[in-house]
Amino acid sequence: MAWRLFLCLLALTAGAVSAQVSVNGSLGGSVDFILYITIPDNREIIWRTDGGAIFIARIVNNESPTYNASYKSRTQLFPNGTLRLEKLTDADKRLYILTVTNQVDFTFQIENYQLGVFPPLSAPVLRSNVTINNPFVNGTNRSLQCDAGNQTVTTYTFYRDSQKIICSERLICRGSFLDFTPVAENDGGSYTCTIQNPVSSNTSNSLSLTVYFPVSNVVVTSNVSGLVWPGLDSVTLKCLAQGTNVSYSWSLKGAPISGGTQYILTDNNKTLIINPVSTDDNGSFICMAKNIINSLNSSDVKFNLASPVSAVTLTNNTSEVLWAGEDSVSLHCSAQGSAITFSWTLNGNQVLSNPPYSITQSDSPPSSNLTISPVSNKDTGPFICKATNRANSISSSAANLNINWSPDGNISCTAQPIGQIIQLGCSWPGGKPAANVTMIFDDVRNTSTNVVFRNVSSISNIHGSNLTCNGNQRRTSSCVLIFEPPMSPDHKNDTVTSGTVGGAIKLTVDLQAGAQSRATALLTQALPASFFWYQGNSSTAIQTGGKFKVDSTPYASTLNIDKLTEAESGNYKCVAENFIGRTTFLFNVKVSKSGGSSGGLDGGAIAGIVIGVLAGVAIIGIIVFFIVKKKKRSGEDRRLNDLSAPTGSVVYAEIKANNKPNGVMAETAITNLPQEEKDEVKYASLQLPNNPSVKAAAPENKAETIYSDVKTSTKR
């Protein structure tokens, strides 16, 4: 035995010791030293303390253990090596050493155990600084204390409704204190705290905390909205309020209602049932909502009459300037009373909930919204909201909107001849505020609002000039007016318009289309013109009547011919003139019988030929004589109708490329010359000596010129 002790002491002194195991026990309680090593079948287990000097217990294999006399009464050694120490005292706090020896090869293992002895914890007391005069109010700072007295506590844990509280910047865990900085709405509940040391824990009493909110928004609702009939109807009033732990009480005409046969209070006095309503109930019912913070009264409720409409107020959500077509606005109408319906008028006309107007209504509190998206220049007002119920109706004061808008359409460029003066105009009216308008002509700018006028001489060299108008009011608009004779580039003089007998045709000249064909980023306009239509060589303009109808605007003219006969075949011309010059547009109309050609002989001629053949050679000779005579007359008519035929004296006016006529009203002929022949053009003016008295229907100072020939200078 001595040699074994020697080996143990030798092992201890040699440092053959495993890691230390901590074991904790309760004062007066017991603790088990459990083995964490594998023990051999043939072993000797010895427990010692104080560095191995004091023997506690020993067991060999499965024999009965032996004990130190001082430990035997409170020590038990189990065959697996576990040592139980009971009736712990503070003196038991020390190091315990386990030695396990293999009795076959005499190898051994050593374990060290450090015993801590702690007193058991008694239940702490959870306290708070919340009192009746200092309630747990939302937004205030409060604290809870887990009071454990003088006990040895290693850990404090707080719980709300059995859920562990997670500490945060607002919920600060400060040892035995839990600080609310501040109290929040969801902090109400049942609180406990638990204290712990290594051997025991204990939980405090439960502390119920309610987060208080002050009473607000006390509202009484009723199950009726119309008149109440005494002796027949019953009414249920419900009092609703925001707040915490609110208690309710009722009064009628200032006297408290305590309940009874007629008045029944339920749901913690929130609900008052009057069954049946009597004539004594012709007064004001008031609900008072109260908690430890404050109290508030509801508005009064009367049963004899429905609440009349009152306090109708109309407001809008902006006082700023609104822009038509861009901005939106909302008008809000509120009122007091029962079962109110709202209606809206604009300038005395009812407004319906159709775009751009949207109308919504709320019953509690009574209100209506009129949203206009977007506003227009018709929405300046006055807007009036009318609130109505069975008792009465009241209209709000009028509301007017401050709306600006851009002018409708685009800016207009005009040029109006007045004697020897041409009045230039840029016009873009109708905006609010008035649009800024700028006129640019011959590099001179004139600016004003809405319209700008400027006079220029009609004898100045304005042929080929441009009038530019720029407008600016929230948006911009521009136009260009070209100072040139009437033009219609799409028109071709050699185009044949065909029709059939009994049908209709339409001949059209469009000047604005010509201007637009030259448009860039601006709205390009042509000068307004006057139009005159002629048939064949007639000098009398065609007027609307019979089968002819003339429709003209300042920029286009149309000649409609219906109920066609072969007599309407031939040449037509449209003369368009403005203060710059005059242009003749030629048309070739061919009318044929439906389903056949108009170039052959008609049925009568064919029958005559047949009769002539049958009648003999003499009759054939007569027919030949008349046919020859008819062809001769046809040739003469063709020469008169052909504008290219050189009749009378011809005067050539020479116009060179890229040069403007110096103040001369130039007339434009619609021709299609090869590119190489457009450098120099000479126009031939045809005079009619055999009919000098014939004049066109146009103004005298602009006598019409009919173009008969167009030649280049190299082919003259």
Side-chain angles (χ1 to χ4, degrees):
M1 186 67 179
W3 67 269
R4 291 179 180 172
L5 177 59
F6 172 76
L7 289 176
C8 289
L9 293 175
L10 181 63
L12 291 174
T13 57
V17 181
S18 64
Q20 182 173 291
V21 179
S22 295
V23 179
N24 295 311
S26 297
L27 185 65
S30 63
V31 65
D32 289 341
F33 296 93
I34 300 173
L35 274 64
Y36 295 98
I37 60 176
T38 302
I39 60 176
D41 293 335
N42 297 312
R43 76 274 186 183
E44 178 187 41
I45 299 173
I46 300 175
W47 284 93
R48 299 177 181 275
T49 186
D50 290 341
I54 299 176
F55 167 76
I56 297 175
R58 171 179 175 271
I59 187 171
V60 178
N61 296 329
N62 293 320
E63 297 176 358
S64 296
T66 58
Y67 299 95
N68 185 312
S70 61
Y71 282 94
K72 185 175 182 180
S73 62
R74 59 190 188 99
T75 304
Q76 184 178 0
L77 179 59
F78 297 95
N80 62 359
T82 298
L83 176 67
R84 176 173 295 170
L85 186 60
E86 301 175 342
K87 300 177 183 180
L88 295 174
T89 67
D90 286 336
D92 292 325
K93 293 189 290 186
R94 60 181 63 188
L95 181 68
Y96 293 83
I97 301 172
L98 165 67
T99 303
V100 179
T101 303
N102 189 330
Q103 298 199 95
V104 175
D105 57 7
F106 300 105
T107 60
F108 56 88
Q109 303 175 69
I110 297 176
E111 288 281 340
N112 292 333
Y113 294 81
Q114 180 64 50
L115 176 62
V117 179
F118 296 88
L121 295 173
S122 60
V125 177
L126 183 60
R127 309 178 190 277
S128 75
N129 60 354
V130 176
T131 64
I132 294 177
N133 297 325
N134 190 28
F136 203 55
V137 178
N138 178 60
T140 61
N141 292 336
R142 295 291 181 266
S143 295
L144 298 181
Q145 181 186 10
C146 188
D147 188 357
N150 295 323
Q151 301 182 90
T152 302
V153 179
T154 57
T155 305
Y156 292 87
T157 307
F158 291 87
Y159 296 85
R160 179 178 61 241
D161 297 331
S162 302
Q163 298 295 319
K164 182 179 178 180
I165 292 177
I166 305 301
C167 300
S168 64
E169 292 183 0
R170 187 182 67 83
L171 294 175
I172 300 174
C173 298
R174 184 170 51 91
S176 62
F177 289 90
L178 175 63
D179 298 329
F180 299 85
T181 57
V183 174
E185 181 178 358
N186 60 353
D187 286 338
S190 178
Y191 285 81
T192 58
C193 71
T194 298
I195 56 175
Q196 288 179 304
N197 63 21
V199 297
S200 67
S201 66
N202 216 325
T203 300
S204 72
N205 57 298
S206 176
L207 182 62
S208 181
L209 294 178
T210 300
V211 178
Y212 279 87
F213 290 81
V215 175
S216 62
N217 299 330
V218 182
V219 177
V220 174
T221 61
S222 173
N223 66 332
V224 296
S225 59
L227 295 176
V228 178
W229 296 95
L232 296 176
D233 294 338
S234 63
V235 176
T236 299
L237 300 180
K238 290 186 177 181
C239 188
L240 302 175
Q242 293 182 354
T244 308
N245 283 358
V246 179
S247 61
Y248 299 89
S249 61
W250 295 84
S251 64
L252 171 60
K253 301 176 185 179
I257 297 175
S258 59
T261 304
Q262 182 187 5
Y263 302 110
I264 303 171
L265 294 171
T266 63
D267 192 18
N268 191 28
N269 291 347
K270 287 184 181 179
T271 302
L272 171 62
I273 301 173
I274 305 100
N275 185 28
V277 174
S278 70
T279 55
D280 293 334
D281 297 322
N282 184 19
S284 298
F285 286 85
I286 294 178
C287 170
M288 184 177 71
K290 181 180 179 181
N291 65 9
I292 62 175
I293 302 175
N294 67 328
S295 63
L296 285 178
N297 287 337
S298 71
S299 58
D300 61 333
V301 178
K302 296 181 179 180
F303 299 143
N304 60 321
L305 293 175
S307 300
V309 175
S310 62
V312 180
T313 304
L314 178 58
T315 59
N316 69 66
N317 65 343
T318 181
S319 59
E320 300 178 353
V321 174
L322 303 172
W323 281 94
E326 299 180 19
D327 295 331
S328 301
V329 70
S330 181
L331 303 180
H332 179 75
C333 183
S334 61
Q336 294 180 2
S338 305
I340 295 177
T341 58
F342 293 88
S343 60
W344 294 82
T345 59
L346 169 59
N347 293 320
N349 299 316
Q350 184 178 6
V351 178
L352 300 178
S353 186
N354 292 318
Y357 305 108
S358 175
I359 299 175
T360 60
Q361 180 169 324
S362 175
D363 295 330
S364 179
S367 63
S368 179
N369 286 329
L370 170 61
T371 301
I372 311 169
S373 180
V375 296
S376 71
N377 56 7
K378 299 178 182 179
D379 295 326
T380 56
F383 286 90
I384 293 177
C385 168
K386 185 177 182 181
T388 304
N389 66 6
R390 295 178 64 186
N392 66 328
S393 63
I394 296 178
S395 295
S396 70
S397 57
N400 293 280
L401 301 179
N402 188 6
I403 301 177
N404 287 352
W405 55 83
S406 300
D408 292 334
N410 294 309
I411 195 169
S412 174
C413 298
T414 60
Q416 179 65 37
I418 305 174
Q420 298 297 316
I421 297 299
I422 304 297
Q423 186 183 65
L424 308 180
C426 293
S427 176
W428 204 30
K432 179 192 173 187
N436 292 321
V437 177
T438 299
M439 173 189 292
I440 305 173
F441 186 78
D442 286 344
D443 297 326
V444 176
R445 290 176 174 265
N446 301 95
T447 300
S448 184
T449 56
N450 282 340
V451 295
V452 177
F453 291 107
R454 177 185 169 190
N455 293 334
V456 298
S457 173
S458 63
I459 63 175
S460 62
N461 186 15
I462 61 176
H463 183 195
S465 298
N466 291 339
L467 168 64
T468 301
C469 296
N470 297 320
N472 183 13
Q473 209 279 21
R474 192 69 173 183
R475 65 183 180 91
T476 59
S477 181
S478 301
C479 65
V480 174
L481 186 61
I482 303 175
F483 286 67
E484 63 185 8
M487 296 183 65
S488 184
D490 294 337
H491 178 79
K492 304 297 182 182
N493 282 337
D494 55 355
T495 300
V496 176
T497 302
S498 300
T500 59
V501 173
I505 60 171
K506 178 188 294 186
L507 309 178
T508 300
V509 173
D510 187 351
L511 305 182
Q512 196 62 30
Q516 292 301 324
S517 69
R518 302 186 297 283
T520 58
L522 302 177
L523 177 63
T524 306
Q525 301 174 354
L527 288 173
S530 300
F531 297 90
F532 306 91
W533 288 87
Y534 300 91
Q535 181 179 15
N537 292 326
S538 175
S539 61
T540 302
I542 297 173
Q543 304 295 324
T544 296
K547 62 177 61 184
F548 296 100
K549 182 181 180 182
V550 178
D551 291 319
S552 297
T553 68
Y555 299 101
S557 184
T558 300
L559 173 62
N560 294 278
I561 311 174
D562 60 4
K563 301 178 182 178
L564 290 171
T565 66
E566 292 184 355
E568 277 73 62
S569 295
N571 295 324
Y572 292 80
K573 63 183 177 181
C574 176
V575 178
E577 68 173 11
N578 57 30
F579 59 79
I580 296 297
R582 176 186 303 164
T583 303
T584 298
F585 301 92
L586 303 179
F587 296 85
N588 187 359
V589 175
K590 290 186 178 181
V591 181
S592 62
K593 291 183 179 180
S594 178
S597 173
S598 61
L601 297 173
D602 58 18
I606 295 174
I609 293 173
V610 173
I611 294 173
V613 172
L614 296 176
V617 176
I619 297 176
I620 291 174
I622 295 172
I623 292 173
V624 171
F625 171 78
F626 282 107
I627 290 175
V628 171
K629 186 175 182 180
K630 182 176 180 181
K631 287 184 177 180
K632 182 178 181 181
R633 182 176 299 171
S634 234
E636 292 174 353
D637 292 341
R638 201 162 43 247
R639 286 192 300 272
L640 290 175
N641 290 331
D642 189 355
L643 297 179
S644 64
T647 304
S649 62
V650 178
V651 180
Y652 292 90
E654 183 172 288
I655 301 176
K656 295 186 177 181
N658 301 322
N659 290 335
K660 297 181 181 178
N662 294 324
V664 178
M665 298 295 185
E667 182 175 23
T668 303
I670 305 301
T671 59
N672 293 298
L673 295 178
Q675 183 64 36
E676 64 273 11
E677 297 182 10
K678 290 184 179 179
D679 291 336
E680 186 172 353
V681 180
K682 293 186 178 180
Y683 293 95
S685 177
L686 178 62
Q687 299 178 354
L688 304 176
N690 58 340
N691 193 8
S693 62
V694 176
K695 296 182 178 180
E700 293 182 358
N701 62 341
K702 299 176 183 177
E704 180 184 8
T705 301
I706 301 176
Y707 298 101
S708 60
D709 195 7
V710 178
K711 299 181 179 180
T712 65
S713 59
T714 57
K715 293 183 180 182
R716 183 173 175 179

